[in-house]
Amino acid sequence: MRELIFEIGTEELPSESVYRGLEQLKEKASKLLTEKRLSFSSLNTFATPRRLVLSVEGLSERQAPQTTKVKGPSLKAAFDQDGNPTAAAKGFAASQGVEVSDLETTSAEGGTYLFLLRKEEESTALEMLPELLIELIKSLQFSKPMRWQVESNLTFPRPIRWLLAFLDDEPIDLTFGELKSASHTFGHRILSGGRLKVSGVKDYFTKIKAAKVVLDPNERKRMIEEGIADLLQAGERAKINPKTLSEVINLVEYPSVILAEFSKDYLFVPKPVLTTAMESHQRYFPIEEESGRLKSKFILVHNGDPAAIERIKTGHERVIGARLADAKFFYREDIKKPLSENIDKLKTVVFQLKLGSVYEKSLRIERLVEVIAKSLKMDDLIPKAKRAAMLCKADLVSEMVVEFPDLQGVMGKEYAVVSGEGDEVALAILEHYLPKNVEGELPKTDLGAILSMADKIDTIVGCFAVGLIPSGSQDPYALRRQTQGIVAILLDKNLQLAPVDLIDEALRLYEAQGIKFSTPKEEARSKAIEFFYGRIKQHFTQEGYASDIIDAALPTDLGRLDQIEAKIELLALKRDDKEVSDIAVAHTRCKNLSKIDLGTNIESSLFTYGEEKELASVILDLKPKAAKAAGEGDYDMLLNLLAGLKGPVDSFFEAVLVMDKDEKIKENRIRLLNLAVEVFEIFADFSKLIVSTARVV
């Protein structure tokens, strides 16, 4: 068993490329080695900003043996009556480069055939690795590759500057475009002497460690976290943003941690501004008191010489000082006037080229929050909701948000408070951007939830109206996320509101503003509803519900999600009960012969069997009771009522031939079945439910 080390040395890689490279290198190397029949006991990958490294232990000396069977003609066709090989046998043998005598006879597929057992050649690992490792490099895919060799189409996120590969102590010769592998690597750019001569796998790890390169990202993370903890005083804590930490880990090869400070004069600027400037722009870790109050200190991680700490610290303090000075200036300029003065400026900000300005969007949101609040019987929230709607985008034209776009909504809240708009309106402005991702925090207040849904449905419907529909991975307006946000808010707050009503009102408001649709209104509506269905189904699938239960409970009119959720929960609980099985059987029998386009207006004078009269009587009596139970959300009662249809439906089908020769009688019976289907589907489309005990006739 042998050991392999393979290093791809590059110019500094973006953090995202380091993570992507680590993941792919392990997955694709394992796949390639397996495909080439080279076994191994363990495979690990490492990475720093300047290298991706593959380490394989227990690699087999050569390929595992493999024999393939090549099927030839049947025995009957291969030999004549005298046992001599026919043209078929000779031709097959010749095509395989062997004699007929080399072929074997084996039973297969109900007959006896000639086969050639061909033993595959077994190459050594050393012979195969040059081609395999180059194939491995080419298989790595990145979001933003670049081409740096003039005469080559080879790409990578950053130029590859060196390649190193050893099998134990034997160097592996590689050629990648204009680059050839060598028996050297490079240590830390600052803390080592540069080029390192390597004599084998063990020597590589010894020298790379001595050259101040920490290959394992998890080890660098540990060093950073321990370094931060050592610098904190009693009563302090570092505000460690996971995104910032994950990026910093891949910006250094040997992390050093430094405590630095900025002027206390900047602490009057809102905390989110200071933390954003430190985290997002400079990748620092702010320090705060246990209470959460920010201190004028921060921690930075650097890749430089620990002996130059003071110089590095001074440089970073100068940089953050300039950054915070800008933030302080922007904040002071912004609070000189109330937030409401920015509303008129939104007329000059384009929301979307075909959908008008952000000001026009704000007017639509203002109307939507009023409609939503009334639908939810939250009329007392309407004045504040309308005010929040007109102000929710006003911070987009503030000096601060123009400089720090990530702070939209955050600064809207801060400026609303300073402007005396009240805490509820201010918080709604912040919350209307929530959730920011699938697993993100949801609005906590009803005001924030209403405003968030209004903003999102306006964007979704507007994009569908002008043909900006997501396709594949392309979703520039984040319509999937925004639709999922509405679904999550409706379910989280158990709001009695149907998404289709939101869609219809949003479309109406666009029409009222004279926005021209690129897509016919009904088509845009239909596609928006279908889009919601996809997100709703995805939500419940992620919650662990079976797809057939979800499909059965989803209504065609995209009704209230609280009702859909209740039906799904009940069906999941009772799908194996006889009651549900009986309903599924009865409903499916009716639906198989129904023709909805014929309607449900039955004529009792056309009934000729007592069983059809009985079924009609039961359905007409049950329908208002079922509708009442559904309206009250009493789905247990509704199931009990529907279960009562099983007997009359079975009796109907046993006694009555639906497809009567008399067209009027036939259509009347079909309309009766349509009526039965309509009543069943007050609860769900049971025909979509997979019930193991159901026997559909």
Side-chain angles (χ1 to χ4, degrees):
M1 294 303 206
R2 312 194 70 177
E3 289 185 69
L4 168 70
I5 191 71
F6 176 48
E7 180 181 73
I8 306 170
T10 70
E11 293 185 8
E12 271 75 0
L13 294 165
S15 179
E16 183 268 342
S17 296
V18 175
Y19 283 116
R20 202 167 162 76
L22 263 174
E23 179 183 348
Q24 290 188 80
L25 195 63
K26 187 164 192 173
E27 174 191 341
K28 294 180 182 293
S30 178
K31 182 180 178 182
L32 280 171
L33 289 170
T34 302
E35 287 175 352
K36 301 298 184 184
R37 311 197 315 275
L38 290 172
S39 63
F40 55 90
S41 58
S42 67
L43 185 153
N44 293 294
T45 54
F46 307 99
T48 77
R50 299 178 68 204
R51 71 200 76 224
L52 297 174
V53 180
L54 170 68
S55 171
V56 182
E57 295 182 356
L59 184 65
S60 59
E61 179 69 37
R62 59 176 54 248
Q63 289 180 292
Q66 177 172 290
T67 301
T68 58
K69 294 175 68 174
V70 185
K71 183 181 176 184
S74 67
L75 190 63
K76 186 176 181 181
F79 297 96
D80 60 21
Q81 293 180 345
D82 298 325
N84 298 314
T86 64
K90 293 177 181 178
F92 173 66
S95 69
Q96 299 300 316
V98 297
E99 299 295 329
V100 174
S101 59
D102 295 324
L103 302 176
E104 296 188 10
T105 303
T106 307
S107 297
E109 302 174 4
T112 305
Y113 296 83
L114 290 184
F115 279 88
L116 172 66
L117 299 181
R118 185 185 297 279
K119 186 177 181 181
E120 299 289 336
E121 291 186 13
E122 298 173 23
S123 299
T124 66
L126 191 60
E127 291 170 338
M128 299 191 67
L129 284 172
E131 182 180 344
L132 186 149
L133 295 178
I134 294 302
E135 185 178 348
L136 176 60
I137 301 176
K138 292 179 179 179
S139 72
L140 302 179
Q141 298 179 341
F142 299 89
S143 56
K144 295 181 180 179
M146 63 178 292
R147 194 171 61 209
W148 73 97
Q149 295 183 348
V150 178
E151 301 299 328
S152 172
N153 288 322
L154 301 174
T155 63
F156 215 68
R158 291 293 184 271
I160 297 178
R161 294 308 187 198
W162 75 90
L163 294 172
L164 175 145
F166 274 89
L167 188 61
D168 292 332
D169 296 335
E170 295 182 73
I172 301 172
D173 294 328
L174 306 175
T175 300
F176 186 68
E178 302 167 5
L179 186 66
K180 294 186 181 298
S181 62
S183 299
H184 65 258
T185 183
F186 291 86
H188 191 284
R189 193 182 290 278
I190 298 171
L191 303 178
S192 73
R195 179 175 295 190
L196 303 172
K197 183 68 177 176
V198 175
S199 60
V201 175
K202 290 182 172 55
D203 189 47
Y204 169 82
F205 284 107
T206 300
K207 287 185 175 174
I208 207 75
K209 182 178 181 180
K212 299 295 184 182
V213 175
V214 180
L215 288 175
D216 188 350
N218 291 321
E219 176 64 12
R220 297 199 297 275
K221 179 183 179 183
R222 183 193 63 77
M223 292 172 68
I224 291 169
E225 290 176 335
E226 289 181 357
I228 291 173
D230 290 342
L231 293 174
L232 296 175
Q233 297 179 353
E236 292 181 343
R237 66 187 183 196
K239 186 176 181 295
I240 300 179
N241 184 319
K243 182 180 178 181
T244 305
L245 177 60
S246 66
E247 189 171 2
V248 167
I249 288 168
N250 288 333
L251 295 177
V252 294
E253 290 198 310
Y254 190 86
S256 295
V257 183
I258 298 177
L259 177 66
E261 299 183 18
F262 59 85
S263 172
K264 292 182 179 180
D265 292 343
Y266 297 127
L267 289 176
F268 93 97
V269 178
K271 180 180 177 180
V273 177
L274 301 178
T275 56
T276 297
M278 285 187 274
E279 292 173 345
S280 301
H281 293 265
Q282 303 305 136
R283 304 179 185 90
Y284 299 153
F285 301 103
I287 296 178
E288 56 188 20
E289 298 173 354
E290 292 293 342
S291 64
R293 183 173 177 270
L294 201 65
K295 303 193 75 171
S296 59
K297 300 195 292 186
F298 63 94
I299 289 174
L300 64 97
V301 179
H302 72 96
N303 198 44
D305 187 351
I309 284 180
E310 286 305 317
R311 188 166 69 252
I312 294 170
K313 173 184 172 184
T314 300
H316 282 277
E317 288 177 339
R318 187 182 304 115
V319 170
I320 196 61
R323 198 70 177 165
L324 297 184
D326 288 343
K328 178 180 176 182
F329 171 78
F330 297 141
Y331 182 66
R332 281 183 167 167
E333 288 299 303
D334 286 338
I335 62 176
K336 286 180 179 178
K337 57 186 182 298
L339 181 62
S340 58
E341 282 194 18
N342 286 350
I343 295 175
D344 202 52
K345 295 180 182 178
L346 297 176
K347 294 177 181 178
T348 64
V349 180
V350 175
F351 164 51
Q352 201 282 327
L353 193 59
K354 297 179 180 180
L355 298 175
S357 68
V358 175
Y359 177 78
E360 290 171 302
K361 178 179 177 66
S362 299
L363 293 176
R364 294 191 300 271
I365 296 174
E366 183 187 34
R367 176 57 185 153
L368 279 166
V369 296
E370 182 177 4
V371 171
I372 294 171
K374 284 183 177 178
S375 298
L376 296 172
K377 297 181 174 56
M378 297 180 181
D379 296 55
D380 57 315
L381 292 181
I382 290 176
K384 291 177 181 176
K386 293 177 70 173
R387 184 61 176 170
M390 288 309 299
L391 291 171
C392 69
K393 304 297 181 184
D395 65 339
L396 295 180
V397 292
S398 67
E399 298 279 356
M400 187 71 78
V401 173
V402 169
E403 179 67 18
F404 299 100
D406 290 347
L407 290 175
Q408 57 184 291
V410 174
M411 296 316 301
K413 176 195 172 188
E414 297 291 340
Y415 293 149
V417 171
V418 173
S419 301
E421 297 291 346
D423 291 343
E424 291 177 272
V425 169
L427 183 55
I429 292 172
L430 173 67
E431 289 188 329
H432 96 279
Y433 284 105
L434 303 179
K436 293 184 177 181
N437 52 59
V438 176
E439 302 294 331
E441 179 185 0
L442 297 173
K444 290 184 173 61
T445 67
D446 290 339
L447 200 61
I450 290 171
L451 187 58
S452 176
M453 290 191 294
D455 177 38
K456 290 173 173 56
I457 197 65
D458 177 79
T459 300
I460 295 162
V461 168
C463 287
F464 272 85
V466 296
L468 299 174
I469 301 173
S471 60
S473 61
Q474 300 300 311
D475 188 8
Y477 290 90
L479 302 188
R480 293 187 183 93
R481 175 177 59 79
Q482 298 202 57
T483 306
Q484 287 167 338
I486 293 176
V487 170
I489 291 169
L490 287 170
L491 291 171
D492 177 66
K493 288 192 165 291
N494 198 35
L495 299 177
Q496 298 179 7
L497 186 67
V500 69
D501 294 334
L502 295 177
I503 292 170
D504 289 339
E505 182 61 22
L507 282 168
R508 189 191 69 76
L509 290 171
Y510 272 108
E511 282 186 311
Q513 284 189 346
I515 301 295
K516 294 182 179 180
F517 295 169
S518 305
T519 304
K521 179 182 176 181
E522 284 306 312
E523 183 183 341
R525 180 182 187 271
S526 176
K527 288 183 176 179
I529 289 173
E530 182 183 353
F531 194 70
F532 260 91
Y533 270 122
R535 307 285 77 73
I536 293 167
K537 184 167 183 177
Q538 181 183 31
H539 173 88
F540 286 114
T541 299
Q542 290 173 342
E543 290 291 309
Y545 293 104
S547 60
D548 64 312
I549 289 178
I550 300 169
D551 290 338
L554 284 179
T556 55
D557 61 354
L558 195 57
R560 284 167 36 187
L561 298 193
D562 61 316
Q563 295 176 336
I564 294 171
E565 183 176 45
K567 292 176 182 179
I568 288 174
E569 289 175 351
L570 189 59
L571 283 178
L573 182 66
K574 294 194 169 188
R575 73 176 302 161
D576 294 327
D577 291 1
K578 185 176 185 301
E579 179 183 56
V580 173
S581 174
D582 287 347
I583 295 171
V585 170
H587 173 261
T588 304
R589 295 184 80 179
C590 294
K591 190 159 187 173
N592 284 344
L593 292 177
S594 66
K595 293 181 180 179
I596 300 302
D597 58 312
L598 290 178
T600 58
N601 294 322
I602 56 176
E603 296 181 39
S604 57
S605 61
L606 293 174
F607 291 148
T608 58
Y609 289 88
E611 287 81 3
E612 56 186 328
K613 293 177 183 178
E614 174 65 16
L615 179 59
S617 175
V618 170
I619 290 174
L620 292 172
D621 177 65
L622 187 147
K623 185 176 180 181
K625 296 176 183 177
K628 182 174 183 291
E632 294 173 351
D634 191 347
Y635 297 116
D636 278 299
M637 172 62 74
L638 181 53
L639 274 181
N640 289 334
L641 290 170
L642 295 179
L645 282 173
K646 175 68 164 57
V649 167
D650 285 348
S651 297
F652 172 85
F653 279 105
E654 288 170 8
V656 178
L657 178 64
V658 175
M659 298 303 173
D660 196 272
K661 293 179 181 179
D662 187 313
E663 193 68 20
K664 287 185 177 180
I665 292 175
K666 181 183 75 172
E667 290 188 355
N668 194 55
R669 288 171 180 168
I670 292 174
R671 282 193 288 270
L672 176 58
L673 296 180
N674 289 346
L675 184 60
V677 169
E678 185 179 278
V679 173
F680 279 117
E681 293 185 1
I682 290 175
F683 187 101
D685 185 348
F686 291 93
S687 67
K688 294 179 179 177
L689 199 63
I690 301 172
V691 183
S692 60
T693 56
R695 181 177 59 86
V696 181
V697 180

